[in-house]
Structures are given as C-alpha cells and as structure tokens.
C-alpha cells in the first residue's frame, strides 16, 4: 500500500530530488507488515458484537426518579434526531448515516 504505508523501513527523505526508485521501494514495508496493518484496521472498524446504541443503558445505575426522567428525555431527543435523519436519508441517493444516534455506540468499545 504505497499510498498509506503502515510503517517506513527507512527515514523519509530530507531534501527534494534525492530519492531513487530503489530507495522508495526499500522505504516501504514488506508485504507481511502491510497485511497485518490491514487486518488490524479491518478488525477495529467492524461493529462491536456487544453494540449498545447511544442513550441506551443496559445496567441500571440510578434508582432515583430525577435521573430516570433525564435519561428518558435524552432518549426522546435521540429518537427525534433519528427520525429526522431517516427522513432526510430517504431522499438521498447515498444515505448519510454517520451521525444517526441509533448507529452510534454508547461508549468506546475496543
């Protein structure tokens, strides 16, 4: 992957016009390093197997009424946003789903 190498085997050139094709090829990582980098990117970009959408809380951390009301209000706002995004996306040839609360993880899950 010469356009996005995962590592360099030699330091980058410090002056323009001093690099040869051989130096460039020696600077790029070997195929095993590239394949490992691609595998890591693929693995980290997969959806989590225990995906929890934004605003959903499987564990009950609060027993008081006030936090529950705030959580319900927040979930309601997220539902409105999801509806607005779904309506907008239905009119698009390629839907833009990156900011849809229903598709955003509640927390970092690596």
């Amino acid at each position: 992957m010469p356009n996005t190498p995962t590592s360099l085997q030699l330091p980058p050139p410090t002056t323009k016009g001093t690099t040869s094709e051989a130096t460039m090829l020696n600077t790029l990582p070997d195929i095993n390093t590239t394949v490992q980098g691609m595998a890591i990117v693929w693995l980290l970009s997969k959806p989590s197997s225990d995906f929890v959408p934004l605003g959903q809380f499987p564990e009950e951390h609060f027993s008081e009424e006030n936090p529950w009301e705030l959580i319900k209000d927040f979930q309601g706002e997220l539902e409105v946003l999801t509806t607005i995004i779904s309506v907008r996306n239905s009119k698009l040839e390629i839907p833009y789903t990156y900011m849809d609360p229903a598709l955003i993880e509640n927390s970092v899950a690596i």
Side-chain angles (χ1 to χ4, degrees):
M1 291 188 341
N3 57 342
T4 56
T6 55
S7 68
L8 296 177
Q9 305 304 312
L10 297 173
T14 56
T15 55
K16 283 191 164 210
T18 60
T19 304
S20 66
E21 183 178 349
T23 305
M24 288 298 294
L25 292 174
N26 289 334
T27 301
L28 295 174
D30 63 0
I31 194 162
N32 290 334
T33 304
T34 302
V35 169
Q36 288 175 353
M38 291 174 63
I40 290 170
V41 169
W42 177 79
L43 182 64
L44 292 177
S45 63
K46 286 181 59 174
S48 176
S49 60
D50 58 350
F51 176 81
V52 177
L54 183 64
Q56 303 299 316
F57 306 97
E59 294 105 21
E60 295 183 12
H61 295 289
F62 303 103
S63 58
E64 299 87 9
E65 189 64 31
N66 192 30
W68 279 108
E69 290 175 11
L70 294 172
I71 290 171
K72 291 295 180 192
D73 291 344
F74 180 58
Q75 290 171 340
E77 291 174 16
L78 292 175
E79 287 178 28
V80 169
L81 289 173
T82 294
T83 303
I84 291 170
I85 291 171
S86 296
V87 169
R88 182 201 61 202
N89 283 339
S90 68
K91 300 172 188 169
L92 297 176
E93 184 177 335
I94 299 173
Y96 185 82
T97 59
Y98 295 105
M99 297 304 288
D100 187 349
L103 302 175
I104 295 176
E105 182 79 34
N106 195 31
S107 66
V108 177
I110 293 181

